Amino acid sequence: MLKQMEGSQAVAEAVALCRPEVICAYPISPQTHIVEHCGELVREGKVGTCEYMNVESEFAALSACIGSSACGARTYTATASQGLLFMAEAVYNASGLGLPIVMTVANRAIGAPINIWNDHTDSMSMRDAGWIQIFAETNQEALDLHIQAFKIAERLSQPVMVCMDGFILTHAYERVEMPSQEQVDAFLPPFEPQQVLDPANPYSIGAMVGPEAFTEVRYLAHDKQMQALNVIPEIAAEFQEIFGRDSGGLLRKYQTEDADTIIVTLGSVAGTVKDTVDEMREAGKKIGVVTIGSFRPFPTAELRKVLASAKEVVVLEKSFAVGFGGVVANNVMMALQGTRTHVNTVVAGLGGRPITMPSLHKLFDRALAGKLEPVEFLDLQWDIVNAELERQRAQIASGPTAESILKNIQVDTAHGGAAGHAAE
Amino acid sequence: MNEIPKLRTADDIPADQKVKFYQKGTFTVGNRLVDADERNVQSSMNRSNAITSGHRACQGCGEALGARYALDTAMRMTGGDMIAANATGCLEVFTTPYPETSWQMPWMHSLFGNAPAVASGMQAAMKAKGRNTRVIAQGGDGGTVDIGFGCLSGMFERNDDVLYICYDNEAYMNTGVQRSGATPGGARTATTMPAGEAYPGNVFGTGKNLPKIAMAHNIPYVATASVAYLQDLEAKVEKAMSFKGARYIHVYVPCPLGWGCASNSTINLARLVVETGMFPLFEAEHGQVTATRPIRSRVPIEQYLKPQRRFAHLFKTDAGAEAIKKLQAMCDYNIAEYDLLRPEEETV
């Protein structure tokens, strides 16, 4: 059924259709609307026998998920940003224990400075935690991926993180096709846990493992992710059969067949990138786009197949490995090892900075001309950066950076030109 | 104030001390010496068995003893229909050196600080599935009063149907005896090494009385217990299992290795801590104390401190003597607060 609704609401309704048995909630922007609506649906009796737990922290939220999933209950939670970091220890634990929890991450920047807007730093900080990480491009895909996520998680007995851009998707009203309960039931069988705490057949979970077996246990976690490289497309195909929509999978190609330059990105910005590429194609430029759907496992072989024929690859990512460069770009470079394809990193959209088509046009034109630096920052205001650096050099007790920049930007609005006021 | 009896020295409790049998027999030998109808359940060959023998606890481990009695009782009360969440710590490590496990029940260890939350999730799953399986969570004092405190308070506040048992040996023993929020003032630990008059061991803070904090949540049942009184511990677990909702039992468990005391002094110290007034035994329902265990024969705090090397430095300096006075004052305070001297009452 077609509905006009907020992304968060769509996700909550999709989760409800998956018949979860336990939902744990701790509020954090921009995830709040998801757990609020989940709570509403549970209280209205629309989720069958489901326990909705309001807990005291994200650490407790995921810990409670660990307990309930280990008891064989289909379990869901959602978080973002600082919340994901606060639960970090449990994030690793849930995957280490092989518990098929599904968690939405409404992607948001990590502080300090505190910032509630969108980028991918939160999910990327957990990229090595053993969770399957899939990224949604649209609200429809976010909805679809949650239904697929439970199936992927339970088939592999591994947790799945569904990443959707905070505000840009979670708070956007869009038209979505909401599946029926019958469709979801036909797609998603009841949860049959691989391991369960059962008094009729008691066993211990969570024992210490020493050097004699730790490497093997960790390797097997990697093997699960390698299996997921097959399972994710399989489940996307099963999904298409029942719901009639092509959604999910490892990656998506757009205008890549004859492209010399390919932009690699993930999440909602793919829409803006594709619109820009459309305009450039009209101008006869050979440019295409690859959107990564599954960041973990990373689709190394598939990506290589698509990118190896291109001359230039630009990874446009909303994450930043401070002191190095691009998180996603690093993975793409690994995939292109031994090829002649040149990879550039563009860090964009940090902390919610808009990624606009005019900026992308300029960037992609420079990419086509081979003029990009190895690591670039889209729309970085160099005058503000340089003024602050100058101020810090002038004074040891120069005070906090973020506050100083904000002060200067305010002066800037009134008088025009940050540099003139910065070195006071 | 009652006259303080003469101090016992460490020599009074030699390693080859003969086992003394009290009137009803000692519960530690399973009561097989008394008539069948008076025997403790532990003497039965068919008793419930949550933690089986062969685990790797140290000699004289109070926690192993406490956990076995507590969980065996819970197992008996539930007919075995229960599961447990365990915080990281000694109990977790010594019971599960895989491929061996001591747990004869479904058991899970997740993290150090999340056992109460894991248990909350377990009981939610059981509720959703319409099962009556009961959930127990357990941890040491570090896992309970320090790192797991937030999760524990949340579990209490929601009144989740979990019995949380804290085995308190007053420091981080699994990592090598470092101070916890439950370490008493004056105690030597690896992170509170005494330094003469300047620093006579752990500081006397304001204290972190977790049974009282639990009571402040108005949860259905809170109790303190000591492994010197195993039948009392069993009765309290039994009672706890008769309630639905959040319940808390704080069990005092000596640690011979961490405290520097003889491995056969566990029961004696667990008794002395009660008889000095340092660790009052009580029960509370919905935030109100409903019962206390009177002191049978009051002993001065020195008698409890002397057999433990963690307090040895207190007997060497003036600052130590001050610390002992403070500890005695705490005992006196507890005795008055809980009205523990009631000679008219017969005690077991």
Side-chain angles (χ1 to χ4, degrees):
Chain A
M1 191 171 127
L2 276 177
K3 283 183 171 178
Q4 179 79 12
M5 64 200 309
E6 197 196 39
S8 296
Q9 253 183 325
V11 164
E13 296 204 1
V15 167
L17 289 171
C18 294
R19 302 185 186 275
E21 291 163 291
V22 174
I23 296 175
C24 296
Y26 186 80
I28 181 166
S29 297
Q31 152 267 35
T32 45
H33 292 182
I34 301 175
V35 291
E36 285 168 9
H37 196 49
C38 281
E40 242 171 83
L41 292 167
V42 171
R43 280 190 296 276
E44 287 167 2
K46 289 178 181 161
V47 199
T49 50
C50 179
E51 285 293 313
Y52 182 85
M53 289 178 73
N54 280 299
V55 290
E56 73 284 355
S57 75
E58 286 91 356
F59 178 63
L62 192 54
S63 296
C65 288
I66 288 169
S68 78
S69 186
C71 289
R74 183 170 286 165
T75 303
Y76 171 79
T77 190
T79 190
S81 183
Q82 314 295 139
L84 183 63
L85 263 61
F86 197 55
M87 60 168 68
E89 193 189 9
V91 173
Y92 275 76
N93 195 253
S95 60
L97 292 169
L99 298 170
I101 299 158
V102 170
M103 174 163 74
T104 309
V105 174
N107 289 117
R108 166 184 152 182
I110 300 280
I114 184 169
N115 173 300
I116 62 164
W117 294 275
N118 166 247
D119 70 32
H120 293 162
T121 315
D122 50 1
S123 296
M124 291 303 164
S125 75
M126 290 296 126
R127 70 184 186 276
D128 304 326
W131 285 56
I132 289 163
Q133 286 187 331
I134 48 181
F135 280 78
E137 185 180 330
T138 62
N139 281 350
Q140 181 69 62
E141 198 176 28
L143 183 166
D144 295 345
L145 286 183
H146 279 84
I147 299 170
Q148 295 186 29
F150 282 104
K151 197 164 182 172
I152 297 166
E154 288 164 16
R155 190 173 290 177
L156 291 165
S157 204
Q158 279 297 302
V160 176
M161 200 182 283
V162 184
C163 308
M164 66 188 291
D165 286 319
F167 295 115
I168 298 170
L169 293 182
T170 56
H171 287 55
Y173 278 75
E174 281 188 347
R175 196 179 68 162
V176 292
E177 171 74 39
M178 186 59 66
S180 67
Q181 186 67 63
E182 292 70 38
Q183 280 176 309
V184 176
D185 288 346
F187 173 75
L188 184 66
F191 175 30
E192 276 185 48
Q194 281 184 16
Q195 53 175 352
V196 66
L197 291 165
D198 179 8
N201 180 24
Y203 54 85
S204 307
I205 301 178
M208 179 178 276
V209 175
E212 74 285 358
F214 194 77
T215 308
E216 286 70 21
V217 173
R218 295 311 297 156
Y219 179 79
L220 288 168
H222 177 64
D223 188 72
K224 277 265 175 82
Q225 292 255 339
M226 294 303 100
Q227 291 175 41
L229 286 172
N230 294 324
V231 169
I232 291 168
E234 269 167 39
I235 285 176
E238 289 166 28
F239 183 88
Q240 188 168 16
E241 218 163 276
I242 291 176
F243 300 88
R245 268 194 307 284
D246 180 17
S247 212
L250 297 176
L251 52 82
R252 283 173 188 282
K253 296 175 277 187
Y254 186 77
Q255 305 272 29
T256 53
E257 290 73 24
D258 60 340
D260 294 330
T261 301
I262 297 178
I263 315 300
V264 177
T265 193
L266 68 180
S268 64
V269 74
T272 319
V273 173
K274 281 188 254 184
D275 284 351
T276 313
V277 162
D278 281 344
E279 291 180 3
M280 293 180 76
R281 277 274 168 183
E282 276 171 32
K285 288 166 184 166
K286 289 188 173 178
I287 186 165
V289 187
V290 171
T291 311
I292 294 172
S294 165
F295 183 67
R296 283 291 179 273
F298 195 71
T300 307
E302 291 73 8
L303 203 59
R304 186 184 172 93
K305 237 182 274 169
V306 187
L307 299 183
S309 57
K311 285 180 196 141
E312 288 278 325
V313 166
V314 179
V315 180
L316 183 82
E317 58 178 296
K318 291 184 176 179
S319 50
F320 178 29
V322 180
F324 174 70
V327 181
V328 183
N330 190 22
N331 287 260
V332 174
M333 285 172 195
M334 182 77 173
L336 287 171
Q337 224 181 18
T339 69
R340 288 183 178 183
T341 308
H342 184 234
V343 180
N344 288 295
T345 306
V346 178
V347 176
L350 294 186
R353 172 153 305 175
I355 301 176
T356 64
M357 283 177 64
S359 292
L360 289 181
H361 266 295
K362 275 187 231 163
L363 178 82
F364 296 163
D365 281 338
R366 287 179 54 232
L368 289 170
K371 284 184 181 166
L372 287 188
E373 298 290 327
V375 180
E376 292 225 0
F377 297 85
L378 189 72
D379 294 337
L380 179 73
Q381 301 171 71
W382 282 108
D383 52 345
I384 290 173
V385 168
N386 289 333
E388 176 61 16
L389 286 173
E390 201 178 313
R391 196 181 67 87
Q392 287 176 9
R393 271 193 293 269
Q395 242 183 311
I396 289 173
S398 51
T401 299
E403 288 70 10
S404 161
I405 284 183
L406 288 177
K407 194 175 74 186
N408 286 331
I409 283 183
Q410 262 178 359
V411 170
D412 201 32
T413 329
H415 304 279
H421 301 275
E424 57 200 40
Chain B
M1 205 175 127
N2 290 6
E3 198 189 331
I4 295 171
K6 194 176 132 284
L7 278 185
R8 281 171 80 185
T9 66
D11 295 339
D12 292 334
I13 13 176
D16 61 349
Q17 176 193 27
K18 281 191 181 145
V19 175
K20 289 177 198 152
F21 295 107
Y22 289 97
Q23 197 182 353
K24 288 187 176 178
T26 164
F27 304 121
T28 54
V29 294
N31 258 9
R32 289 190 189 127
L33 299 171
V34 298
D35 293 340
D37 59 339
E38 281 188 34
R39 276 180 205 169
N40 186 302
V41 65
Q42 297 297 337
S43 65
S44 163
M45 294 304 282
N46 298 320
R47 71 177 180 86
S48 54
N49 185 17
I51 312 170
T52 204
S53 58
H55 57 68
R56 314 284 174 84
C58 308
Q59 275 193 350
C61 173
E63 186 174 36
L65 182 64
R68 178 174 151 185
Y69 272 70
L71 290 187
D72 280 2
T73 306
M75 206 171 195
R76 198 169 70 246
M77 293 295 290
T78 57
D81 192 10
M82 66 178 216
I83 53 180
N86 212 122
T88 309
C90 285
L91 182 61
E92 169 257 323
V93 170
F94 74 64
T95 54
T96 56
Y98 245 73
E100 292 144 21
T101 176
S102 291
W103 301 99
Q104 306 298 304
M105 53 179 287
W107 176 95
M108 182 157 111
H109 159 245
S110 172
L111 296 167
F112 196 4
N114 72 355
V118 170
S120 289
M122 288 172 166
Q123 61 90 41
M126 291 308 160
K127 250 189 225 169
K129 289 178 177 295
R131 292 200 201 126
N132 290 321
T133 306
R134 303 299 297 276
V135 179
I136 309 242
Q138 43 187 358
D141 51 292
T144 305
V145 319
D146 288 349
I147 197 168
F149 183 64
C151 288
L152 185 65
S153 175
M155 186 274 273
F156 286 164
E157 170 270 318
R158 293 185 299 269
N159 202 21
D160 290 337
D161 189 27
V162 174
L163 166 60
Y164 189 98
I165 305 172
C166 168
Y167 304 105
D168 180 6
N169 54 24
E170 303 190 324
Y172 291 90
M173 299 316 185
N174 190 41
T175 44
V177 199
Q178 296 86 10
R179 177 204 187 272
S180 83
T183 302
R188 179 196 76 181
T189 68
T191 52
T192 59
M193 278 297 175
E197 294 288 354
Y199 183 74
N202 187 34
V203 291
F204 286 81
T206 55
K208 193 166 183 177
N209 189 326
L210 210 67
K212 274 189 175 173
I213 295 171
M215 284 168 65
H217 289 75
N218 290 322
I219 57 175
Y221 185 74
V222 173
T224 59
S226 166
V227 287
Y229 309 96
L230 290 167
Q231 205 169 40
D232 179 65
L233 169 61
E234 286 179 328
K236 284 167 176 169
V237 173
E238 222 174 282
K239 191 150 186 195
M241 294 309 287
S242 72
F243 287 90
K244 283 267 181 186
R247 292 143 289 144
Y248 179 76
I249 300 182
H250 193 104
V251 191
Y252 182 85
V253 293
C255 171
L257 192 77
W259 295 3
C261 57
S263 57
N264 69 355
S265 66
T266 299
I267 300 299
N268 193 41
L269 286 171
R271 182 173 291 118
L272 286 172
V273 79
V274 174
E275 305 237 293
T276 53
M278 183 52 100
F279 188 79
L281 297 187
F282 67 88
E283 292 176 278
E285 292 175 29
H286 305 286
Q288 298 300 318
V289 173
T290 54
T292 60
R293 183 192 173 90
I295 289 173
R296 185 172 50 189
S297 82
R298 188 185 191 186
V299 291
I301 193 65
E302 287 90 341
Q303 202 166 312
Y304 165 73
L305 303 176
K306 275 260 163 144
Q308 305 180 53
R309 274 204 305 279
R310 64 172 173 157
F311 294 118
H313 60 280
L314 297 184
F315 295 92
K316 292 173 188 158
T317 61
D318 291 345
E322 278 305 306
I324 293 173
K325 271 190 203 161
K326 279 187 197 162
L327 290 166
Q328 182 60 54
M330 286 160 72
C331 296
D332 299 344
Y333 180 89
N334 287 338
I335 287 168
E337 183 184 3
Y338 293 94
D339 185 25
L340 298 177
L341 294 176
R342 309 199 295 271
E344 70 282 3
E345 285 181 39
E346 196 188 329
T347 57
V348 178

